[in-house]
């Protein structure tokens, strides 16, 4: 029973993340990256505060520096990812961001080699090669110049997200609840958006291209769906097997791909779909080795 409920919460989280991705894609031509970060930060903080009001908890923490470090890295990863959406089909942007587990495998493999471990997880090496084969198929040199730039931004967001995940794991080991991590991350996203707007346009609250109520609704939905997805993700991990949750997380790629085809009629050739499938397999294998290493 627990596994069924866990799977349901995980699928809800994946769908909400896909909805967030669709929202980013829809407003990318109307709002700057800074404005999208601000909206996500405000909505995320508000949803988290409502969660605390109904479920209890406190925002007080002794781990100020780790929270700052995690939030800054995470905000930078989101900035890279959002910037890629105006340049890529949604399936490609989401898939490349999900390479965070592959980058994590790279980091752990290099760390084991650096420490001179006699027994290395060579499965990590196979996972890395497999996943980068998928990335090569997805970002092959025949792509247009604008898509190459977007692909590099999305791929970099996966790398930075892996670093943020390591910090989240450390905060979790220190006893920090997920809602607190999400709240301070949301605040940092808002601050990063403010700074980005001030640097880019010389304005703090421009929201320069509010075309109508549809764009404003999608802007609000980005932050709301992101925060709800994070909370659903947390519930899924708390209910049962972490390996099951981590594998189901890759359903987000499937949801995003189908939404991209339905809404924008995205065209990806068979090599691109093969690349997405290989990255999916590589991510699942990387998650397996991460979980085995943690045990």
């Amino acid at each position: 029973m627990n596994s069924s409920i866990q799977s349901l919460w995980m699928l809800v989280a994946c769908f909400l993340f896909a909805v967030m991705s669709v929202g980013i894609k829809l407003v990318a031509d109307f709002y700057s990256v800074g404005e999208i970060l601000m909206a996500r930060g405000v909505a995320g903080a508000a949803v988290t505060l409502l969660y605390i009001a109904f479920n209890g908890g406190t925002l007080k923490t002794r781990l100020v520096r780790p929270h700052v470090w995690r939030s800054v890295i995470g905000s930078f990863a989101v900035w890279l990812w959002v910037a890629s959406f105006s340049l890529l089909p949604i399936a490609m942007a989401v898939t490349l961001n999900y390479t965070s587990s592959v980058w994590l495998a790279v980091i752990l493999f290099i760390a084991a080699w650096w420490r001179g471990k006699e027994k290395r997880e060579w499965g990590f090496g196979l996972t890395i090669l497999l996943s980068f084969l998928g990335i090569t198929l997805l970002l092959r040199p025949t792509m247009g110049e604008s898509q190459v730039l977007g692909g590099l931004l999305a791929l970099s967001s996966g790398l930075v997200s892996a670093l943020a995940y390591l910090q989240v794991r450390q905060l979790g080991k220190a006893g920090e609840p997920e809602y607190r991590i999400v709240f301070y991350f949301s605040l940092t996203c808002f601050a990063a958006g403010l700074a980005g707007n001030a640097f880019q346009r010389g304005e703090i609250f421009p929201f320069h291209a509010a075309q109508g109520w549809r764009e404003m609704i999608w802007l609000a939905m980005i932050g709301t769906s992101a925060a709800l997805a994070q909370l659903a993700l947390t519930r899924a991990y708390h209910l049962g097997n972490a390996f099951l949750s981590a594998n189901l997380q890759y359903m987000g790629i499937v949801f995003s791909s189908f939404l991209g085809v339905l809404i924008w009629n995205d065209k990806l050739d068979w090599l691109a779909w093969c690349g997405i499938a290989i990255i999916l397999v590589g991510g699942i294998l990387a998650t397996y080795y991460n979980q085995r290493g943690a045990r």
Side-chain angles (χ1 to χ4, degrees):
M1 183 66 177
N2 271 352
S3 62
S4 299
I5 298 175
Q6 177 192 6
S7 300
L8 180 61
W9 277 111
M10 197 66 216
L11 291 175
V12 168
C14 291
F15 180 74
L16 288 171
F17 277 128
V19 170
M20 179 198 69
S21 302
V22 169
I24 293 174
K25 181 75 173 176
L26 285 170
V27 303
D29 293 332
F30 300 101
Y31 296 103
S32 68
V33 176
E35 289 166 337
I36 294 173
L37 283 178
M38 289 167 61
R40 172 170 176 166
V42 169
V47 169
T48 310
L49 288 174
L50 285 174
Y51 177 86
I52 294 173
F54 283 100
N55 296 279
T58 177
L59 295 175
K60 292 181 180 179
T61 181
R62 298 175 290 101
L63 305 171
V64 176
R65 184 176 296 180
H67 271 289
V68 170
W69 181 238
R70 177 267 179 275
S71 298
V72 168
I73 295 175
S75 298
F76 183 49
V78 173
W79 189 94
L80 291 169
W81 191 43
V82 171
S84 73
F85 267 84
S86 61
L87 304 172
L88 295 174
I90 186 172
M92 189 177 293
V94 171
T95 301
L96 290 174
N97 179 259
Y98 270 63
T99 57
S100 56
S101 61
V102 179
W103 286 116
L104 188 60
V106 173
I107 294 169
L108 294 176
F109 185 79
I110 293 175
W113 174 81
W114 184 262
R115 291 196 301 266
K117 279 189 174 181
E118 293 183 5
K119 182 181 178 181
R120 299 186 183 93
E121 291 285 1
W122 292 107
F124 270 141
L126 177 61
T127 296
I128 295 164
L129 291 176
L130 183 65
S131 298
F132 276 103
L133 171 61
I135 292 168
T136 301
L137 289 175
L138 197 57
L139 294 179
R140 55 194 185 280
T142 56
M143 293 174 58
E145 183 179 350
S146 62
Q147 285 194 328
V148 171
L149 175 60
L152 291 175
L153 289 173
L155 191 60
S156 299
S157 75
L159 171 59
V160 180
S161 295
L163 298 175
Y165 173 77
L166 289 173
Q167 191 62 37
V168 168
R169 187 166 66 174
Q170 292 302 317
L171 284 167
K173 287 181 178 179
E176 287 292 275
E178 182 71 18
Y179 67 81
R180 196 178 296 161
I181 299 172
V182 172
F183 177 78
Y184 289 118
F185 171 57
S186 298
L187 284 186
T188 308
C189 279
F190 177 76
L194 282 178
N197 281 327
F199 177 78
Q200 184 178 4
R201 307 181 186 280
E203 301 175 86
I204 296 180
F205 295 102
F207 286 93
H208 64 286
Q211 300 295 319
W213 61 270
R214 290 184 180 87
E215 289 77 21
M216 294 298 292
I217 288 175
W218 277 111
L219 201 61
M221 280 297 297
I222 290 170
T224 305
S225 58
L228 290 174
Q230 287 282 356
L231 294 174
L233 187 76
T234 305
R235 178 60 60 90
Y237 273 100
H238 283 176
L239 281 175
N241 187 285
F243 182 44
L244 174 62
S245 293
N247 283 333
L248 285 174
Q249 186 173 356
Y250 288 94
M251 283 298 296
I253 295 177
V254 178
F255 287 138
S256 299
S257 300
F258 280 110
L259 287 173
V261 172
L262 289 174
I263 297 174
W264 292 281
N265 196 27
D266 284 344
K267 302 293 185 183
L268 296 175
D269 60 25
W270 69 273
L271 282 175
W273 284 111
C274 286
I276 289 176
I278 291 172
I279 293 172
L280 268 168
V281 173
I284 292 172
L285 288 175
T287 302
Y288 165 73
Y289 284 112
N290 290 338
Q291 293 295 329
R292 192 172 74 172
R295 287 197 298 269

